Each structure stands twice: as C-alpha cells, then as structure tokens.
Amino acid sequence: MILRSENEEETITAGEKFATGLKPGDVLGLEGELGSGKTRFVKGICRHFRVIDRVNSPTFILVNEYTGEVPDVGGQITIYHFDLYRIINPAELDTIGFNEYIRKDSIVIIEWCEFAEKYLGKVFNKVRFEHGDDENIRIIKF
C-alpha cells in the first residue's frame, strides 16, 4: 500500500492508524532519507498508545523509551524508539545491549534499521518514507 501525506499531521495520523495493527513483541523498521517523516510517523504510533511524553528523534542518544497504554485491552506498554543513523558497525549494538530491548512485552521501532537487521540476522516488517514532488509531500510505502 502507498500513502501520499500532504503535511506533518497526515503523517502523524498515518502512524496512529498503522499502530492499530501493532502488538507487544513487534519490531518495526523505518527506512527513508533524513527529514522524510519517520519520526512524525512514530509520533502517531505513540499517540495511538496514549504516550504522554514528548516524542522526538533519538539521533544523538540512539534510543528513547516511552510508556503508553494498550487501547481497548489496558495495561502498560513500553515503546523503544531507536535511531541508528550514527551507527557505523552492527557490532556497536552490543555496547547498548540492543538484544535486551527486543521483548515480548514491548514494541521496538527502528529508524535506519539496516544495521539492526544485520546484527540480529532477521528482516523486520518495514515502512518506507520518501520525499514527494513538493517539500511538504511524503510518500509512505507499507
């Protein structure tokens, strides 16, 4: 499926709608150029899970942790939001204990997920983001 987002709020809403299919234990990879809407999409996912913390890119700290609530079911969920843009070698993931974040009771979202796939030796479900023909347009491919 391909979605054309006209503005930031539509990208956030797309993330919110996408999140209805996410469940604890899921790992999601986000691919796309800088500024293509990945973090806005994560904001929408977090909105769905009623995260009250400020959602921003963890570019310089590698991971943000958000606590939310599972709609309709109740109970808390932890969302780990990684940005691996600055990772040079998949082995660097050892230093942050990357494996420990992948659990059945959390959701892991990884921007620039290629190194994580190499590190874990598995392919994630992915969403791809591209710039459109106008500076505000984003193309989101599911």
Side-chain angles (χ1 to χ4, degrees):
M1 181 174 124
I2 298 175
L3 173 73
R4 178 183 167 97
S5 172
E6 302 281 334
N7 55 54
E8 289 183 8
E9 185 55 38
E10 284 185 10
T11 302
I12 292 169
T13 300
E16 188 174 12
K17 289 178 182 176
F18 182 85
T20 62
L22 292 175
K23 62 189 180 317
D26 284 348
V27 177
L28 176 64
L30 305 180
E31 298 179 323
E33 299 172 3
L34 289 171
S36 61
K38 297 180 297 292
T39 299
R40 297 288 182 260
F41 192 78
V42 174
K43 283 185 181 198
I45 291 171
C46 288
R47 183 190 289 173
H48 171 76
F49 287 104
R50 300 182 182 124
V51 169
I52 59 172
D53 298 319
R54 184 170 180 242
V55 176
N56 55 22
S57 178
T59 300
F60 295 101
I61 56 174
L62 296 180
V63 63
N64 285 335
E65 179 179 331
Y66 308 113
T67 301
E69 180 182 319
V70 180
D72 301 327
V73 177
Q76 286 190 337
I77 182 124
T78 302
I79 299 171
Y80 296 107
H81 175 200
F82 284 88
D83 185 326
L84 303 182
Y85 179 73
R86 300 195 183 287
I87 295 291
I88 296 169
N89 183 320
E92 291 180 60
L93 296 174
D94 280 334
T95 62
I96 62 170
F98 184 77
N99 277 335
E100 296 173 27
Y101 289 94
I102 309 228
R103 305 186 326 233
K104 294 188 184 299
D105 62 345
S106 64
I107 293 173
V108 176
I109 304 168
I110 309 165
E111 296 186 35
W112 307 95
C113 63
E114 297 82 6
F115 280 124
E117 288 180 319
K118 289 176 187 173
Y119 177 79
L120 294 174
K122 63 191 239 181
V123 176
F124 305 128
N125 289 327
K126 292 182 204 146
V127 178
R128 173 117 185 109
F129 298 81
E130 298 174 0
H131 293 280
D133 51 1
D134 177 276
E135 69 180 78
N136 295 318
I137 305 298
R138 299 296 181 265
I139 308 301
I140 305 170
K141 297 179 179 180
F142 302 92

